[in-house]
Amino acid sequence: MTKNLRVKTSKFIDETYKISFKFNGTTYYGYKGDTLASALLANNIHLVGRSFKYHRPRGIMTAGSEEPNAIVQLHKNSSRTEPNVRATEVEIYEGLEATSQNCWPNVNFDIGGINNILSPILPAGFYYKTFMWPANFWEKYEYFIRKSAGLGKSPTMPDPDIYEHKYIHCDILVIGAGISGIMAAKTAAQNGFKTLLVDEKPYLGGSTIYQNSEHFKINNQISSSWLDKEINEIKKFENLEIKTRTSVAAFHGYNFLLARENLTDHIPLEQRNNKTRQRLLKIRAKKVITATGALERPLIFDNNDRPGILLSSAIEKYTNLFGVACGEKNVLFTNNDSAYETAISLYQKGINIEAIIDNREEIDSKLIKEIEKNNIKIYKGYTVVDTSGYKRINKISIMQLSKDGQKVIGSKTSISCDCLGISGGWTPAVHLFTQSGGKLKFRDEDQVFIPDKYPSNQISIGSCNGDFTLDEILSNITNKLKEFLNIKKTDYENLEIYSSFNKSKRNIWLLPSDKIIGKTKPFVDYQNDATAKDIKLALREGFRSIEHVKRYTTTGMGTDQGKLGNMHALGIISETAGSKMGELGTTTFRPPYTPLTFGTIVGRNVGEYFDVFRKTPIHDWHVKNKAEFENVGQWKRAWYYPKDGENMYDAVQRESKAARDSAGILDASTLGKIDIQGTDASEFLNRVYTNAWSKLAIGKCRYGLMLNEDGMVYDDGVTTRLGENHYIMTTTTGGAATVLGKLEDYLQTEWPELDVYLTSVTDHYATVSVCGPNSKKIVSQVIPDLDFSDENFPHMSFKNTKIDKIKCRVMRISFTGEHSYEINVQANYGKSVWEKCMEAGKEFNITPYGTETMHLLRAEKGFIIVGQDTDATMTPIDLQMDWIVSKKKYDFIGKRSLYRSDTIRDDRKQLVGLLTENPDEVLEEGAQIVADIKKSPVEMLGHVTSSYYSPNLKKSIALGVVRGGKNMMGQKLIIPMENKQINVIVADPVFLDKENKRLNA
Amino acid sequence: MFLINCPYCGEREQSEFKAGGEAHIIRPKQPTELSDDQWAEYLFMRKNIKGIQFERWVHTHGCRKWFNVVRDTSNDIIKAVYKMGEKPPIK
Ligand SMILES: [Zn+2]
């Protein structure tokens, strides 16, 4: 089976540099310059994978990034293994290991191949239709579907490679370094523009660079030689940066583009360590020149997917660029002149051509004449109707086409072959253009979509703009560049172009067959196994929109986004449905153009850099004292401090008890703090809080509730009046930024007349909160000069003072219901103040507690946590907090909404306390609350929002929201759980110290 | 990703900004005088135009200033930016 099909030295292949690699466990050899695909073909290997649905044997179809079939898994190493890599893009290196995907146990014998035999019962939408019923069977189906489906395996270990993001700003970005791109880049650079030229391939020059035909000449030189000189020239410009192996993934609005630059994928693994593997380039270009070329179309006929069937242009590239023959008995099947270029390349290298099948009847061009001169048989007006050969094509059957191209006539002729090149003409690669928001127009004469309206400062040139022949490309480019770059002349004004290409094409989207459509398998989307039959079925079943047909048949939904077959799908839809191509539109091409690795997308933002996190100035102390942390917004907050192997429950019970029995200490530095100054500060607070602020005396604190304009609770916190025109507001930890944003919004846009200035000072202060019956004794030791008597320093007041010459603000406020103080000090003194309190509190068993204990303590007091007990559907009235809503104030944010017909309903969900019948049973937060379990359907009245076992009350307590709960006091409700029902009694949400005696204890 | 010309800072990446919905909706001076329907009109009703739209943006990661933007939502082209309180430069 293994044979050497290397035909002739190519300047792109270094035959002195032999490389060994493994494919499916067998060692093969190739040369430096080979791709995995070209090296496999040189070893006469076509079968490289199995198709997704029918598990049909599939071979290499293309020589580029549009490859649908030859997708492989790279590397055995579990941390670097990578699925869905196109063999046509992988440059081989010593030690490369690749395996086929989609087959088990191996590519030559694949059990899933049974699907091919079952294919008559696996039509489009089969999965949708079959596995949806009965619904509860889905889990069972899923197991089998997942086992037999899926493309490749993901790595199980962390990625060892380094990835980067890089910003690039340039005047001109040129995408694609084919002949058009090279000319554009040179012209831009010559005129002083800072230019970036990128190409996905490792070499420059596109498909022109390997043309050796006398039939294409520029200034009397073979086109590749002419281009070679141009390439050498562009390398000299200092203002021109060239990046190969760089694929533009996305073209967004305002000329913002993302590209992936491959840096190490082509070198042996052991040389990759400590090098950046891939870079995500974030490019902002003043102008973009798209020169992405065109993709050759396949032809759609029965069994057009066998290994050994390639695009004709791919065969030409393998021959000319890699020096590899794709077969020994080659047949070409075409509807246009391109296949004759391939034929000439093969002929020049002495590769046998059995025949050329051309569906055009009357054809004439210099290319065709040369072929005929060499006695190669051309079947004019014929079509391929079938192929055979399971793992490699071995025969084709051809028949004559009727005049209208709708039928086949006459008798069948067989031609044996081991390789079939197909050419259905060209499709401009407009993917990036459409991503950028560009609108296409349909050109009837050759049935292509080309750029019409540009959404930004950009142009498309060359074959991606629908200029397919050398003379068209070159003659249009000069004027386009002059206009776009606003320059007087280019180097390319008077090129002498010689081109033998005839543009005639006989476009038949689905070629006729002697069999009826149901009996054939003409593949439109190779990767997803969608056939013309599937598309017709979808239309019969009533699908009309191209987007619906696409999803129903999965056409174009593979990793290749149907680069080859999308046009045929459209063509078949338009013919079957009788609608015009131009009116049908195309499906949307979405980024990325070719798949990106996750590594590229995240760049360096991995591990601890994945997301920003914030630490309080006391963080190190918490770490040293073995705190467990929880994330609150971006903050790391001490959650609880387990002692001697305690679990969370035990630690929280101990901490909660200590705080009420003697003293607890909490790091409250994360609370949002906004400094508010200005002559209208009091008026401003009046407008943003529900309660009244004008009469708050200097030195006093007040709790405030902030609503959205819709009346729903938005944030809460204590605000202190520091001076006549000076307040400090605290917000919830998570709400700090949004509260500041909202306040700024109102100040700037609704009330610009107010003299108020807001400054975020959250990070500027550390806040140490000491609570419990012994808190006064502790804090007065830390601040001996301050008079802590209730007369001088009552609850809800504040003092400016000093600790060892360091200024601090002490607030006597409480979120636990205990007598407590919050010391605010410049952030960098936070840890030392904390340690002073710990030292002073030693004799009182001062106990550091985290957020969990804080939540438990406040729940005992029935204090809400915005975001836990509220969810943007709760008004203060729903929370039974009517007391904080001013009746006197004319207006505040959200006031009008509090008496909308909806917000005054009695049966809104309202916050209540819940006590379990069994005081030891603790409810689950989020559990549903019902009244009547027998009613069908069971009516959900609400849910549990907070629930704890209270060590201080020695019973389970919970808060919950219940429809009409306010009027259910003492009523029994039910919490249905998976295995039991829990009975609860609706209670006052304040469970402990209703008289607030402890605040002054 | 747009480039937005902040009237205070100049041209910056869209990622520095936050959109704030439709512009020129004035908060009623006397909400208590309004019927439920009138208040709901202010509170809930927003246009969602395909074409020229007047919207509010704030330079969150910059000067923190709110300003107005005229944007064609069909192609995201920003036709104008202008400060709060100013009249739209185009209709
Ligand atoms: Zn700004």
Side-chain angles (χ1 to χ4, degrees):
Chain A
M1 177 97 175
T2 46
K3 248 186 242 180
N4 187 358
L5 289 184
R6 197 69 68 168
V7 282
K8 205 171 173 185
T9 317
S10 151
K11 67 172 178 172
F12 298 94
I13 295 291
D14 182 356
E15 288 193 42
T16 62
Y17 195 136
K18 204 173 178 186
I19 290 170
S20 74
F21 66 97
K22 274 188 180 166
F23 181 65
N24 287 335
T26 308
T27 301
Y28 299 96
Y29 295 93
Y31 297 119
K32 190 172 173 60
D34 264 326
T35 60
L36 178 58
S38 71
L40 287 171
L41 291 171
N43 286 282
N44 200 25
I45 293 168
H46 278 259
L47 171 61
V48 290
R50 293 273 177 163
S51 68
F52 184 61
K53 189 166 150 194
Y54 302 129
H55 289 245
R56 283 168 70 100
R58 289 284 165 79
I60 297 157
M61 272 222 67
T62 73
S65 59
E66 70 272 32
E67 177 62 37
N69 287 342
I71 54 176
V72 296
Q73 181 97 24
L74 283 191
H75 317 309
K76 281 262 163 84
N77 179 331
S78 62
S79 59
R80 275 202 170 110
T81 192
E82 188 176 354
N84 300 329
V85 183
R86 290 155 303 284
T88 49
E89 286 196 301
V90 177
E91 296 170 61
I92 61 163
Y93 50 83
E94 192 62 40
L96 169 74
E97 279 189 74
T99 47
S100 297
Q101 291 183 179
N102 255 358
C103 48
W104 186 83
N106 64 53
V107 71
N108 277 302
F109 175 73
D110 173 30
I111 285 176
I114 191 115
N115 282 2
N116 188 29
I117 298 157
L118 295 178
S119 65
I121 61 162
L122 286 173
F126 174 74
Y127 289 91
Y128 299 126
K129 288 169 187 162
T130 310
F131 296 116
M132 294 316 291
W133 188 91
N136 53 353
F137 258 51
W138 169 245
E139 282 175 27
K140 291 187 179 64
Y141 292 135
E142 192 189 13
Y143 174 78
F144 289 102
I145 293 170
R146 290 218 186 278
K147 221 175 140 97
S148 57
L151 293 165
K153 290 187 183 69
S154 28
T156 53
M157 302 286 290
D159 190 335
D161 283 316
I162 302 166
Y163 301 83
E164 281 177 353
H165 288 180
K166 185 181 178 185
Y167 288 87
I168 296 182
H169 297 264
C170 58
D171 295 326
I172 312 286
L173 169 68
V174 182
I175 311 167
I179 188 165
S180 311
I182 298 285
M183 289 164 73
K186 184 180 164 194
T187 307
Q190 273 176 333
N191 286 281
F193 295 106
K194 188 184 170 200
T195 308
L196 174 64
L197 171 66
V198 300
D199 196 289
E200 60 181 359
K201 292 174 284 295
Y203 57 89
L204 301 173
S207 58
T208 309
I209 203 67
Y210 50 83
Q211 296 290 349
N212 296 316
S213 166
E214 292 286 335
H215 294 276
F216 301 96
K217 285 185 165 177
I218 303 168
N219 285 350
N220 216 22
Q221 301 163 60
I222 288 176
S223 55
S224 55
S225 316
W226 180 85
L227 186 57
D228 238 350
K229 286 185 198 130
E230 292 295 303
I231 290 171
N232 282 332
E233 275 186 44
I234 65 163
K235 287 178 179 164
K236 293 173 196 154
F237 290 102
E238 274 182 19
N239 57 335
L240 170 63
E241 188 178 5
I242 301 170
K243 284 184 180 291
T244 53
R245 299 188 176 97
T246 301
S247 167
V248 173
F251 190 163
H252 296 295
Y254 288 70
N255 284 352
F256 180 70
L257 298 94
L258 297 174
R260 180 210 51 228
E261 185 181 16
N262 257 335
L263 297 164
T264 62
D265 278 355
H266 60 290
I267 61 174
L269 286 178
E270 63 273 13
Q271 290 170 25
R272 295 187 192 178
N273 293 335
N274 303 319
K275 289 188 182 127
T276 299
R277 180 190 172 202
Q278 290 172 341
R279 245 185 228 139
L280 185 71
L281 308 178
K282 300 180 176 182
I283 306 165
R284 186 72 79 166
K286 292 205 179 95
K287 295 182 176 194
V288 177
I289 299 174
T290 306
T292 44
L295 302 173
E296 193 169 29
R297 293 177 186 172
L299 290 164
I300 311 300
F301 52 91
D302 193 13
N303 291 314
N304 60 344
D305 66 326
R306 299 194 188 281
I309 300 180
L310 291 88
L311 295 179
S312 153
S313 59
I315 294 177
E316 183 185 18
K317 184 172 175 181
Y318 285 118
T319 310
N320 284 348
L321 190 122
F322 298 103
V324 171
C326 295
E328 294 168 293
K329 289 195 289 182
N330 296 287
V331 175
L332 298 168
F333 176 28
T334 187
N335 68 4
N336 70 98
D337 254 19
S338 316
Y340 295 90
E341 289 181 50
T342 305
I344 289 168
S345 295
L346 295 181
Y347 177 76
Q348 280 176 348
K349 300 232 169 181
I351 302 167
N352 171 47
I353 303 165
E354 296 283 316
I356 296 175
I357 323 296
D358 196 322
N359 76 357
R360 298 172 295 178
E361 256 175 71
E362 282 161 41
I363 43 174
D364 182 35
S365 73
K366 286 175 194 154
L367 294 177
I368 294 168
K369 283 208 177 78
E370 178 168 339
I371 291 297
E372 284 178 327
K373 198 173 72 195
N374 289 297
N375 296 320
I376 294 167
K377 170 81 181 157
I378 302 176
Y379 292 88
K380 295 177 187 171
Y382 274 72
T383 181
V384 176
V385 290
D386 198 4
T387 67
S388 56
Y390 186 53
K391 291 178 200 165
R392 173 84 179 257
I393 189 169
N394 58 26
K395 200 178 73 182
I396 59 167
S397 304
I398 63 168
M399 287 176 86
Q400 206 177 346
L401 277 166
S402 64
K403 272 269 175 288
D404 62 359
Q406 299 292 305
K407 289 194 298 282
V408 282
I409 48 177
S411 57
K412 238 188 250 188
T413 307
S414 286
I415 303 170
S416 75
C417 62
D418 62 357
C419 178
L420 173 67
I422 51 179
S423 174
W426 296 84
T427 297
V430 293
H431 309 71
L432 294 175
F433 167 79
T434 58
Q435 276 183 23
S436 77
K439 298 279 175 283
L440 298 166
K441 66 177 171 211
F442 191 68
R443 193 166 70 191
D444 272 313
E445 67 236 45
D446 57 349
Q447 306 271 298
V448 293
F449 282 103
I450 52 171
D452 185 19
K453 291 199 182 87
Y454 295 104
S456 63
N457 207 340
Q458 55 162 305
I459 47 165
S460 293
I461 57 169
S463 53
C464 73
N465 193 41
D467 297 339
F468 296 128
T469 65
L470 190 63
D471 42 344
E472 270 178 349
I473 293 172
L474 298 191
S475 50
N476 287 340
I477 225 165
T478 304
N479 287 335
K480 285 201 106 176
L481 288 176
K482 281 199 285 197
E483 194 191 325
F484 185 61
L485 299 176
N486 199 14
I487 53 174
K488 292 257 161 4
K489 64 184 277 290
T490 73
D491 277 5
Y492 312 115
E493 304 283 335
N494 298 306
L495 293 179
E496 264 179 62
I497 304 152
Y498 175 76
S499 170
S500 304
F501 198 89
N502 178 323
K503 279 172 67 181
S504 88
K505 181 166 100 174
R506 187 182 191 186
N507 197 76
I508 303 171
W509 294 115
L510 173 60
L511 289 155
S513 165
D514 54 327
K515 291 188 219 131
I516 59 162
I517 178 84
K519 300 281 178 208
T520 60
K521 280 214 186 68
F523 285 92
V524 175
D525 183 315
Y526 294 85
Q527 195 177 91
N528 275 350
D529 271 353
T531 65
K533 183 176 79 178
D534 294 324
I535 293 170
K536 292 197 171 208
L537 176 69
L539 292 166
R540 272 210 311 281
E541 291 186 356
F543 292 93
R544 282 295 173 272
S545 149
I546 171 69
E547 294 288 351
H548 289 157
V549 173
K550 169 178 159 175
R551 278 158 186 79
Y552 193 57
T553 61
T554 71
T555 304
M557 293 182 71
T559 59
D560 61 338
Q561 290 193 46
K563 291 190 181 77
L564 294 188
N566 274 345
M567 282 302 293
H568 305 80
L570 279 172
I572 291 164
I573 292 168
S574 106
E575 275 171 6
T576 312
S579 43
K580 274 194 176 154
M581 284 287 277
E583 288 158 14
L584 214 53
T586 59
T587 58
T588 317
F589 298 110
R590 292 193 172 81
Y593 179 67
T594 51
L596 289 175
T597 58
F598 280 108
T600 314
I601 294 166
V602 297
R604 299 263 176 156
N605 304 318
V606 291
E608 62 176 312
Y609 303 112
F610 181 67
D611 195 11
V612 180
F613 63 89
R614 301 166 80 182
K615 297 186 290 190
T616 76
I618 310 164
H619 186 84
D620 290 349
W621 190 95
H622 306 317
V623 172
K624 211 174 125 194
N625 287 273
K626 310 269 185 323
E628 293 290 331
F629 289 88
E630 80 167 327
N631 297 328
V632 184
Q634 288 174 324
W635 289 98
K636 294 276 171 203
R637 290 201 75 177
W639 193 11
Y640 58 97
Y641 300 80
K643 239 184 189 175
D644 312 323
E646 272 176 338
N647 59 20
M648 174 160 141
Y649 178 83
D650 292 337
V652 169
Q653 294 288 308
R654 173 181 52 76
E655 289 170 13
S656 303
K657 190 124 189 11
R660 294 226 190 272
D661 288 352
S662 179
I665 181 167
L666 172 83
D667 180 358
S669 308
T670 61
L671 287 182
K673 300 179 249 325
I674 300 170
D675 186 272
I676 302 173
Q677 301 193 39
T679 51
D680 293 316
S682 303
E683 171 61 17
F684 179 64
L685 290 174
N686 258 335
R687 296 185 190 187
V688 300
Y689 278 131
T690 59
N691 46 350
W693 287 78
S694 319
K695 288 181 187 144
L696 184 70
I698 294 169
K700 295 289 182 190
C701 316
R702 183 164 286 173
Y703 173 75
L705 208 54
M706 212 180 275
L707 311 184
N708 264 327
E709 206 67 271
D710 62 5
M712 305 303 157
V713 172
Y714 178 71
D715 203 78
D716 68 344
V718 169
T719 293
T720 302
R721 189 165 195 177
L722 302 173
E724 178 62 29
N725 300 319
H726 191 188
Y727 291 82
I728 181 125
M729 172 188 279
T730 58
T731 72
T732 58
T733 296
T738 49
V739 169
L740 178 68
K742 180 186 157 102
L743 299 183
E744 277 287 357
D745 185 353
Y746 274 90
L747 265 184
Q748 290 180 32
T749 67
E750 298 294 349
W751 307 320
E753 71 281 6
L754 293 186
D755 175 41
V756 176
Y757 301 89
L758 306 174
T759 312
S760 166
V761 292
T762 303
D763 291 331
H764 303 38
Y765 295 97
T767 306
V768 177
S769 170
V770 181
C771 79
N774 288 313
S775 57
K776 188 193 277 188
K777 291 176 199 151
I778 296 166
V779 180
S780 52
Q781 270 185 55
V782 176
I783 317 169
D785 298 341
L786 189 61
D787 176 4
F788 278 91
S789 67
D790 284 350
E791 299 71 45
N792 181 55
F793 198 174
H795 182 57
M796 296 308 266
S797 64
F798 116 95
K799 296 288 173 201
N800 268 320
T801 182
K802 280 181 181 173
I803 303 176
D804 299 341
K805 294 184 195 157
I806 304 305
K807 275 195 250 176
C808 59
R809 291 173 183 158
V810 184
M811 277 88 170
R812 185 171 162 191
I813 51 178
S814 176
F815 188 43
T816 58
E818 290 301 310
H819 188 138
S820 67
Y821 298 91
E822 280 188 7
I823 307 171
N824 289 274
V825 66
Q826 190 178 310
N828 49 334
Y829 293 108
K831 197 171 154 218
S832 100
V833 169
W834 176 277
E835 281 166 344
K836 276 180 192 296
C837 292
M838 286 302 295
E839 184 59 34
K842 231 179 211 170
E843 57 177 305
F844 304 105
N845 182 34
I846 190 169
T847 301
Y849 66 91
T851 49
E852 194 62 24
T853 292
M854 175 183 84
H855 288 178
L856 190 159
L857 294 173
R858 65 85 209 179
E860 290 177 336
K861 279 293 291 177
F863 292 153
I864 58 156
I865 289 185
V866 174
Q868 177 164 342
D869 303 296
T870 74
D871 62 357
T873 65
M874 303 295 287
T875 69
I877 319 301
D878 298 337
L879 294 170
Q880 305 213 41
M881 290 172 78
D882 315 41
W883 54 271
I884 202 171
V885 181
S886 166
K887 304 272 183 307
K888 291 185 196 136
K889 280 201 293 182
Y890 181 70
D891 191 17
F892 55 82
I893 296 171
K895 178 177 169 107
R896 176 62 186 83
S897 291
L898 294 180
Y899 54 93
R900 290 176 53 233
S901 58
D902 184 56
T903 45
I904 55 173
R905 280 187 295 118
D906 284 336
D907 63 343
R908 289 178 61 82
K909 282 185 188 166
Q910 291 144 356
L911 187 81
V912 292
L914 298 168
L915 290 170
T916 47
E917 261 182 10
N918 169 3
D920 291 332
E921 179 124 52
V922 180
L923 300 174
E924 263 184 50
E925 288 175 359
Q928 309 281 288
I929 303 170
V930 305
D932 184 355
I933 199 84
K934 293 195 186 78
K935 198 170 151 188
S936 180
V938 177
E939 192 190 2
M940 196 268 263
L941 295 180
H943 67 278
V944 178
T945 58
S946 297
S947 171
Y948 307 90
Y949 184 80
S950 160
N952 299 302
L953 297 160
K954 299 207 167 46
K955 63 179 178 187
S956 156
I957 56 165
L959 299 173
V961 290
V962 176
R963 192 167 298 154
K966 252 190 231 182
N967 299 321
M968 289 186 179
M969 218 45 78
Q971 206 171 310
K972 197 178 98 180
L973 293 174
I974 299 164
I975 316 277
M977 300 301 290
E978 201 173 4
N979 304 315
K980 60 183 171 184
Q981 292 172 19
I982 303 168
N983 294 329
V984 294
I985 305 291
V986 178
D988 185 336
V990 184
F991 301 102
L992 181 127
D993 188 27
K994 289 192 209 304
E995 305 78 25
N996 289 330
K997 283 185 188 146
R998 304 182 69 94
L999 288 174
N1000 294 307
Chain B
M1 193 159 48
F2 317 164
L3 286 173
I4 298 172
N5 192 12
C6 170
Y8 303 94
C9 307
E11 201 173 64
R12 297 287 191 281
E13 295 269 342
Q14 184 189 346
S15 55
E16 292 186 14
F17 298 84
K18 230 175 85 181
E22 191 178 335
H24 305 298
I25 293 175
I26 298 158
R27 187 175 189 272
K29 284 271 175 289
Q30 293 166 319
T32 44
E33 317 281 299
L34 301 182
S35 68
D36 268 13
D37 284 351
Q38 286 168 324
W39 179 245
E41 182 67 31
Y42 158 72
L43 196 56
F44 301 122
M45 304 315 278
R46 296 292 181 273
K47 293 190 200 100
N48 187 11
I49 298 163
K50 182 178 182 183
I52 300 293
Q53 181 161 288
F54 297 82
E55 27 186 54
R56 300 165 355 115
W57 284 75
V58 58
H59 196 182
T60 327
H61 302 289
C63 62
R64 259 170 51 190
K65 283 282 195 185
W66 283 90
F67 56 93
N68 297 308
V69 166
V70 188
R71 181 173 64 104
D72 186 335
T73 59
S74 69
N75 56 17
D76 286 338
I77 289 172
I78 292 174
K79 305 273 184 187
V81 293
Y82 54 103
K83 293 178 182 174
M84 279 297 156
E86 289 180 355
K87 286 232 163 62
I90 43 178
K91 287 228 168 132

